[in-house]
Amino acid sequence: SLTCRLYCEEEKDPKRRSCQTVLAEALDIVVRSFAPILPHLAEEVFQHLPYKKGSEGVFRTGWINASSAWKKPGIEEAIEGACAMRDSFLGSISGKNALEYEVVIVIEPGLLFELMEALQAEETSSVSQLNEIMMASQTTLLSELPKETPADANIIKGTFLINLEGGDICEESSYKVIPLPIAKAKCPRCRHYTSDSSNTPCPRCLKVIAGKGST
């Protein structure tokens, strides 16, 4: 997902820029953490950061000071829940290429479903945060099993315990993960199976390419 955001999205797309912001914040915290032990390495890294030109140095700019904006209620549980479903999905395809599949996630209405909706507002998406975590080419989020589910579909069942606000909100939710071979072709640009033809970029890539041509 990181590679896709950095190399496939438009240069100034908020998804790409947000990824760069997270990487920059993570690097800043790591460098400041090992600075007391490896001062010369920390200073060298800090002086070569392209977005900190003219900086006073790692030792003159204070200790770690992470913004409270990173603390979003429920986001940790949402990511952990999505990762649990991803593990179920990846475990079911026995080392095969996850991009050759679409994933259907079925969760009964409740807190877990709402957390997943925060990662994917649309019912089906190939570019949502949830799909990036699942590592599939497309993810569908539903509240009930679709009627058109193949009779021989591999339905993986699991549960996830949500613990919010220090235990004041605690709810165990069940989910189903259904991996299905995707019917679309591999996009020659992003390598996801989201194109109508192997010779034509997918809709997302076509939009990015068109944007580059107009700038």
Side-chain angles (χ1 to χ4, degrees):
S1 61
L2 182 150
T3 302
C4 191
R5 283 196 184 201
L6 291 178
Y7 295 105
C8 296
E9 299 291 354
E10 291 185 70
E11 183 179 359
K12 295 184 179 181
D13 187 282
K15 291 178 67 176
R16 183 176 184 274
R17 295 303 299 274
S18 66
C19 183
Q20 291 177 310
T21 299
V22 170
L23 290 174
E25 183 74 10
L27 179 61
D28 185 86
I29 290 174
V30 169
V31 171
R32 292 182 192 278
S33 297
F34 69 64
I37 305 169
L38 299 168
H40 297 293
L41 176 60
E43 188 63 33
E44 184 175 359
V45 172
F46 208 80
Q47 292 299 330
H48 283 81
L49 295 177
Y51 46 87
K52 286 186 179 290
K53 294 294 185 183
S55 173
E56 293 181 334
V58 67
F59 293 101
R60 293 177 178 270
T61 53
W63 185 236
I64 297 168
N65 185 25
S67 170
S68 59
W70 296 101
K71 283 285 186 181
K72 282 191 174 182
I75 192 65
E76 182 177 352
E77 287 72 19
I79 299 298
E80 288 180 351
C83 287
M85 296 175 202
R86 179 194 62 195
D87 292 344
S88 297
F89 161 55
L90 295 178
S92 71
I93 60 174
S94 304
K96 296 178 182 177
N97 184 2
L99 291 175
E100 295 179 0
Y101 290 83
E102 60 177 309
V103 181
V104 178
I105 299 174
V106 182
I107 309 171
E108 292 184 359
L111 187 53
L112 182 59
F113 187 86
E114 291 174 6
L115 290 175
M116 293 306 105
E117 277 191 315
L119 299 176
Q120 178 170 300
E122 310 89 344
E123 183 176 283
T124 299
S125 177
S126 60
V127 296
S128 69
Q129 294 180 73
L130 179 58
N131 187 67
E132 289 179 343
I133 294 171
M134 296 304 293
M135 300 170 63
S137 278
Q138 181 174 285
T139 297
T140 298
L141 178 63
L142 301 171
S143 58
E144 58 182 20
L145 198 67
K147 295 179 180 179
E148 62 272 16
T149 302
D152 59 347
N154 183 18
I155 302 177
I156 304 101
K157 298 180 181 180
T159 59
F160 181 74
L161 179 64
I162 300 169
N163 196 329
L164 291 172
E165 298 183 10
D168 291 341
I169 300 175
C170 192
E171 180 179 302
E172 186 174 57
S173 300
S174 59
Y175 63 82
K176 297 183 180 73
V177 174
I178 310 167
L180 300 170
I182 198 159
K184 293 187 178 181
K186 181 194 286 187
C187 171
R189 182 174 182 271
C190 69
R191 305 298 180 184
H192 285 58
Y193 288 75
T194 50
S195 180
D196 294 329
S197 167
S198 59
N199 298 319
T200 307
C202 66
R204 186 269 302 273
C205 287
L206 283 173
K207 181 179 178 182
V208 173
I209 293 169
K212 286 182 177 180
S214 62
T215 56

